Amino acid sequence: MPDSVLDFYEGLAEEYHLLFADWEQSVERQGAVLDALLRRSGAPPPRRVLDCACGIGTQALGLAARGFGVHATDLSPSAVARAEREARAMHVSITTGVADMRMLDWQVPDTFDVVMACDNALAHLLEDSDLQDAANAMASRLVPGGLLVASLRDNAALLEKRPRFTAERVLDTPLGRRVLFQVWDWAVDDRQYTVRQFILRQESGIWHTTEHTGIYRLLERLELERALTQAGLVDPRWYSPEESGFYQPLITVRKP
């Protein structure tokens, strides 16, 4: 995993909530959606969750507020520290750690009913070997019968359109106006793309601009399924946003 991934999330940790019209509302909504998905998975209700790409806690905090025991880890120390602060502010209990999802088998000692990696996090694994290492490590942290949940962008639609720019979003908040947009640069072979996230904030009549750059692979569903099944996981199932209520396509797989 390139250093740019760590740099991206270290820089974004204190501003990540600005990407949402109401981040705390999104935490609650995503927690509700994932809770419902886990309960309908066919297994006994899971209780212990490892969110191995927790960021500042968008999914981890939502599940913790619904009674799940959540251990939240991320590559970015700044993101993990922010998740800890947000947990205290929301009066929910989580445990945290800094960990690389390719190395969970020795950086995270426990096993869990659910291992989760949402928000297109697996697409940062640019090499097939890194993706397989992460799949193996995530599988190793599951109890028998445990469930892995991951989300990806709709990469089939991305490949068809190859966007270069996302339309701006203008958010009016009590703290001032925000303008959000992204510029995308595609590799020659269309297998990777660089996203430049711009955040413009108006404070006391003055505009401030920040930019955060992340690199992704165009991770296709079959590529991810292959890595997960090679890690010994079974019964892959995809859920569209219309089925699950989550904002990205989701896959679930189970440890035998």
Side-chain angles (χ1 to χ4, degrees), residues 179-242:
V179 180
L180 310 171
F181 65 90
Q182 296 175 347
V183 175
W184 291 35
D185 294 314
W186 289 80
V188 173
D189 62 1
D190 289 336
R191 300 306 302 165
Q192 293 183 16
Y193 55 95
T194 299
V195 174
R196 304 181 192 280
Q197 173 70 61
F198 289 87
I199 303 173
L200 285 70
R201 288 180 292 166
Q202 187 182 36
E203 297 177 354
S204 302
I206 300 174
W207 285 92
H208 305 271
T209 304
T210 53
E211 181 262 333
H212 306 280
T213 300
I215 302 173
Y216 299 85
R217 69 187 283 177
L218 192 79
L219 181 57
E220 297 182 4
R221 292 186 179 192
L222 288 178
E223 292 178 302
L224 178 55
E225 281 189 36
R226 182 168 59 246
L228 295 173
T229 55
Q230 287 178 353
L233 303 175
V234 298
D235 300 330
R237 177 173 178 184
W238 286 94
Y239 296 84
S240 69
E242 292 76 19

Side-chain angles (χ1 to χ4, degrees), residues 154-165 184 186 190:
D154 185 351
N155 288 319
L158 286 182
L159 185 58
E160 180 181 349
K161 297 179 180 178
R162 290 192 292 277
R164 295 294 308 279
F165 176 82
W184 291 35
W186 289 80
D190 289 336

Side-chain angles (χ1 to χ4, degrees), residues 12-13 85 100 108 138 208 252 255:
L12 193 54
R85 297 202 312 270
D100 186 322
V108 177
M138 289 187 292
H208 305 271
T252 62
K255 187 168 185 174

